[in-house]
């Protein structure tokens, strides 16, 4: 009987014949659906919502024969959602998840730079954007403006990836920001003007290759003005305390802390800050807002470094802490000004900042070094003693060249035993759910550790951190096709925690990864 006449004559016969077509083996019918080919695997993936969009898995491409995949699935039977995801990603190229070419990480980063470049444009009335003078690189994701300390680590990659003009144009932007506002804001938005971020401008200047003396003079003036911003509180600090970003230590030495000039909820996290303040009725809300904003200035927003109770963000007290990382960076600023003033033949300036740097170097030993524990710590100005939190900030004095060989060796031993994870350097040893605590690792802290350890005679440990971190970045790239803001260095997967989802892009990860591959070419993945 002709198929067309049969289908006309009987709807039941039409259904039977269509069913017969759909049950043909995959090798015979190209129209077999994923549901039929993968059966129980398909149902598990879709019912457990392994991917937010149900279309994702059905568009996946198998990496080997479906028969072999299903035989392994039946024998292994993944027991939970994480195991199922690992099985799927190992056997399929999943669109938008792991379907990109992961064999050329260095090339991938180089192709990302143009996507993160933004041009200077006129600011629309009512916009929160601050004006920029020259092209710049953003971190990526929700961070759609330039950020201060991110940019140094981004520049490390630009320097080795043939993007020197972008370094110079970003320095133009930062110099102009200091001239306009007296400091470099946290990010180039009006709601960030009350605070800065860790002062890396001095180190950025070291990446410049321009040779114009007038430009050098302008940049040195900007660096000195930024220093004045951090030291403004020196004129109002009282005998026992602090003012703005300046803290008077027990011996009278002036050091620095993180701060924000605005005691209000952060514009960009308004609801979150109001909710956090509502949890703590023991102090005025404005005081808590100041501590939250100071935590944002630190770049470590947020971390157990700043919490009286690691389980409660509402216990934050950032402004009561004298941070070891900030004061190590301020030492670099003072030494850089002294050197550049010397090159400019300004003897009085060179002598002044040489003296200031010597005083701060001594204070790093007196207040931050905990010999019995082999670590540098933050200083609690209310308890008048080092804090108990071990963090990756312990490596900043090595990065600044302020540690003796014995101190560096002791820090190295502490790092190996407490902070070194399978995938790189942990941020702290405390698991709190805050994003600047374990198990997360962050690109800038890996670089501080690598550069600091190598500078201080611990080259083997520096290389080991580089190897482990590069392995983590590579593994996540192979799985996701993306460069991420932060990573779980214990499980070698995307990091988590904090106030927002993990972002991709990502400026400082790209920069540090390129810098590591340039420094250790033997570690570069094929």
């Amino acid at each position: 009987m002709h198929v067309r006449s049969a289908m006309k004559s009987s709807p039941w016969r039409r259904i039977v014949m269509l069913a017969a077509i759909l049950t043909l083996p995959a090798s015979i019918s190209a129209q077999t659906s994923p549901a039929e080919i993968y059966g129980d695997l398909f149902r598990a993936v879709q019912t457990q919502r392994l991917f937010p969009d149900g279309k994702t898995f059905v568009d996946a491409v198998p990496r080997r024969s479906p028969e072999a995949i299903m035989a392994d699935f039946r024998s292994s039977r993944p027991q939970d959602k994480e195991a199922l995801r690992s099985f799927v990603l190992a056997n399929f190229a999943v669109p938008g998840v792991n379907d990109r070419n992961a064999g050329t990480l260095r090339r991938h980063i180089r192709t990302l730079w143009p996507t993160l470049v933004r041009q200077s444009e006129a600011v629309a009335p009512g916009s929160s954007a601050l004006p920029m003078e020259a092209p710049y690189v953003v971190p990526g994701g929700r961070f759609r403006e330039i950020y201060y300390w991110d940019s140094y680590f981004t520049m490390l990659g630009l320097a080795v990836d043939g993007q020197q003009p972008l370094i110079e144009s970003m320095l133009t932007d930062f110099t102009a920001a200091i001239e306009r506002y007296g400091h470099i804001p946290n990010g180039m938005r009006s709601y960030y003007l009350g605070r800065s971020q860790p002062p890396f401008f001095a180190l950025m200047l070291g990446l410049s290759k321009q040779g114009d003396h007038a430009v050098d003079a302008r940049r040195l003036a900007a660096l000195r003005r930024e220093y004045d911003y951090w030291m403004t509180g020196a004129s109002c600090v009282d005998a026992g305390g602090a003012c703005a970003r300046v803290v008077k230590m027990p011996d009278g030495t002036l050091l620095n802390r993180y701060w924000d000039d605005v005691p209000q909820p952060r514009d960009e996290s308004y609801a979150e800050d109001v909710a956090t303040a509502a949890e703590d009725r023991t102090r005025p809300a404005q005081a808590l807002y100041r501590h939250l904003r100071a935590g944002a200035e630190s770049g470590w927003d947020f971390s157990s470094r700043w919490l009286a109770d690691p389980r409660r963000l509402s216990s934050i007290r950032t402004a009561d802490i004298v941070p070891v990382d900030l004061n190590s960076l301020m030492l670099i600023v003072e030494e850089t000004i002294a050197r550049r003033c010397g090159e400019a033949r300004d003897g009085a300036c060179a002598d002044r900042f040489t003296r200031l740097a010597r005083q701060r170097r001594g204070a790093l030993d007196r207040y931050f070094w905990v010999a019995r524990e082999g670590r540098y710590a933050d200083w609690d100005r209310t308890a008048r003693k080092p804090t108990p939190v071990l963090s990756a900030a312990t490596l900043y004095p090595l990065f600044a060249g302020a540690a003796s060989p014995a101190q560096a060796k002791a820090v190295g031993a502490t790092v190996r035993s407490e902070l070194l994870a399978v995938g790189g350097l942990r941020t702290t040893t405390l698991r709190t759910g805050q994003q600047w605590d374990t198990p997360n690792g962050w690109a800038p802290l890996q670089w501080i550790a690598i550069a600091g350890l190598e500078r201080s005679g611990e080259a083997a440990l520096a290389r080991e951190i580089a190897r482990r971190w590069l392995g983590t970045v590579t593994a996540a790239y192979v799985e996701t096709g993306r460069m991420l803001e932060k990573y779980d260095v214990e499980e070698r997967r995307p990091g988590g925690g904090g106030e927002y989802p993990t972002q991709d892009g990502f400026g400082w990860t790209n920069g540090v990864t390129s810098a590591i591959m340039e420094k250790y070419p033997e570690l570069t993945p094929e």
Side-chain angles (χ1 to χ4, degrees):
M1 183 183 295
H2 197 278
V3 171
R4 183 176 296 173
S5 61
M7 292 178 71
K8 285 181 179 178
S9 63
S10 170
W12 290 109
R13 185 169 297 196
R14 181 166 72 245
I15 293 170
V16 170
M17 293 193 69
L18 287 171
I21 292 172
L22 291 174
T23 55
L24 289 172
S27 58
I28 297 175
S29 174
Q31 298 177 1
T32 310
S33 75
E36 295 169 287
I37 297 173
Y38 298 110
D40 290 346
L41 172 59
F42 169 86
R43 284 184 286 277
V45 170
Q46 299 295 63
T47 58
Q48 294 187 43
R49 297 186 179 276
L50 205 60
F51 305 103
D53 186 345
K55 193 173 184 295
T56 300
F57 179 64
V58 297
D59 291 351
V61 178
R63 298 186 187 276
R64 54 195 180 120
S65 74
E67 293 83 2
I69 292 173
M70 290 308 299
D72 282 352
F73 177 74
R74 294 186 188 101
S75 63
S76 64
R77 287 289 175 183
Q79 296 301 304
D80 55 33
K81 189 172 182 178
E82 189 61 36
L84 179 62
R85 180 180 176 84
S86 296
F87 180 87
V88 169
L89 294 179
N91 286 282
F92 295 86
V94 181
V97 180
N98 67 342
D99 60 336
R100 301 184 190 180
N101 177 13
T104 53
L105 182 58
R106 187 76 183 271
R107 188 185 313 156
H108 175 68
I109 293 172
R110 286 171 172 165
T111 65
L112 284 176
W113 291 128
T115 71
L116 297 174
V117 174
R118 302 292 181 270
Q119 303 297 323
S120 57
E121 297 178 352
V123 175
S127 169
S128 62
L130 297 175
M132 305 290 288
E133 294 194 2
Y136 55 94
V137 178
V138 301
R142 74 194 290 266
F143 302 107
R144 54 187 69 90
E145 51 282 312
I146 196 171
Y147 282 76
Y148 182 5
W149 80 308
D150 292 61
S151 294
Y152 171 68
F153 301 97
T154 298
M155 288 176 179
L156 293 174
L158 295 175
V160 299
D161 284 344
Q163 300 288 340
Q164 190 64 34
L166 274 173
I167 293 176
E168 305 299 344
S169 67
M170 290 165 74
L171 283 170
T172 295
D173 286 324
F174 285 139
T175 300
I178 295 172
E179 292 170 344
R180 187 177 299 120
Y181 308 114
H183 67 286
I184 300 173
N186 179 155
M188 292 299 285
R189 294 279 181 180
S190 59
Y191 50 80
Y192 288 140
L193 282 170
R195 62 180 180 269
S196 186
Q197 274 194 327
F200 276 91
F201 183 62
L203 286 160
M204 292 177 188
L205 295 179
L207 298 176
S208 174
K209 295 188 181 302
Q210 72 81 36
D212 188 310
H213 292 302
V215 172
D216 285 341
R218 181 185 174 194
R219 290 175 176 176
L220 175 57
L223 182 60
R224 294 183 65 176
R225 187 170 178 190
E226 182 189 42
Y227 181 81
D228 290 343
Y229 167 81
W230 284 95
M231 298 305 299
T232 298
S235 62
C236 57
V237 65
D238 58 33
C243 182
R245 292 168 178 79
V246 175
V247 175
K248 180 172 285 189
M249 302 301 283
D251 66 352
T253 302
L254 298 182
L255 296 180
N256 294 92
R257 65 174 176 176
Y258 294 115
W259 184 252
D260 190 302
D261 299 331
V262 182
Q264 299 294 333
R266 292 169 293 159
D267 289 44
E268 73 280 10
S269 300
Y270 187 90
E272 292 89 340
D273 287 0
V274 170
T276 299
E279 296 175 9
D280 185 351
R281 302 295 187 183
T282 65
R283 52 184 170 167
Q286 287 191 339
L288 190 139
Y289 296 146
R290 185 89 75 178
H291 288 301
L292 288 168
R293 284 173 168 263
E297 182 171 81
S298 79
W300 292 48
D301 44 342
F302 293 103
S303 170
S304 55
R305 287 179 72 190
W306 318 129
L307 306 182
D309 178 351
R311 297 178 299 276
R312 293 189 303 110
L313 180 58
S314 59
S315 71
I316 192 166
R317 56 195 188 102
T318 318
D320 293 333
I321 305 299
V322 186
V324 65
D325 50 356
L326 173 57
N327 285 283
S328 297
L329 291 172
M330 290 297 290
L331 171 63
I332 292 173
V333 173
E334 288 164 342
E335 291 182 338
T336 301
I337 293 174
R339 184 179 68 255
R340 287 178 174 262
C341 281
E343 292 168 354
R345 300 190 179 183
D346 184 344
C349 167
D351 290 346
R352 176 193 171 210
F353 280 92
T354 297
R355 183 177 68 257
L356 290 169
R358 187 183 307 118
Q359 292 171 355
R360 194 178 299 263
R361 185 179 288 268
L364 283 170
D365 263 345
R366 285 193 301 279
Y367 294 108
F368 300 98
W369 176 241
V370 185
R372 65 184 180 281
E373 298 175 13
R375 70 183 178 103
Y376 287 94
D378 299 316
W379 175 265
D380 184 332
R381 75 178 193 88
T382 56
R384 298 171 71 89
K385 65 180 181 180
T387 70
V389 177
L390 170 63
S391 78
T394 192
L395 288 146
Y396 268 82
L398 281 66
F399 180 73
S404 70
Q407 288 169 324
K409 184 175 181 179
V411 169
T414 300
V415 167
R416 280 191 179 277
S417 64
E418 302 291 336
L419 293 177
L420 187 61
V422 64
L425 190 72
R426 296 181 181 94
T427 305
T428 69
T429 60
L430 298 176
R431 189 180 292 266
T432 66
Q434 300 299 334
Q435 63 176 348
W436 288 85
D437 281 317
T438 202
N440 284 349
W442 295 76
L445 301 182
Q446 312 300 314
W447 185 259
I448 294 296
I450 291 165
L453 287 163
E454 184 178 62
R455 177 178 187 174
S456 306
E458 297 291 317
L461 179 55
R463 185 184 184 281
E464 183 61 16
I465 291 171
R467 184 187 70 80
R468 297 189 187 199
W469 175 254
L470 190 56
T472 295
V473 173
T474 302
Y477 174 57
V478 168
E479 179 175 334
T480 69
R482 300 194 297 269
M483 302 295 288
L484 303 174
E485 174 196 21
K486 56 182 178 281
Y487 297 83
D488 180 331
V489 295
E490 295 183 359
E491 300 293 336
R492 279 193 162 177
R493 63 186 181 187
E499 298 178 310
Y500 53 84
T502 298
Q503 303 293 298
D504 62 352
F506 195 86
W508 63 19
T509 303
N510 303 343
V512 168
T513 301
S514 278
I516 288 174
M517 289 189 288
E518 183 76 11
K519 185 176 183 63
Y520 302 103
E522 72 279 9
L523 300 180
T524 301
E526 296 296 330

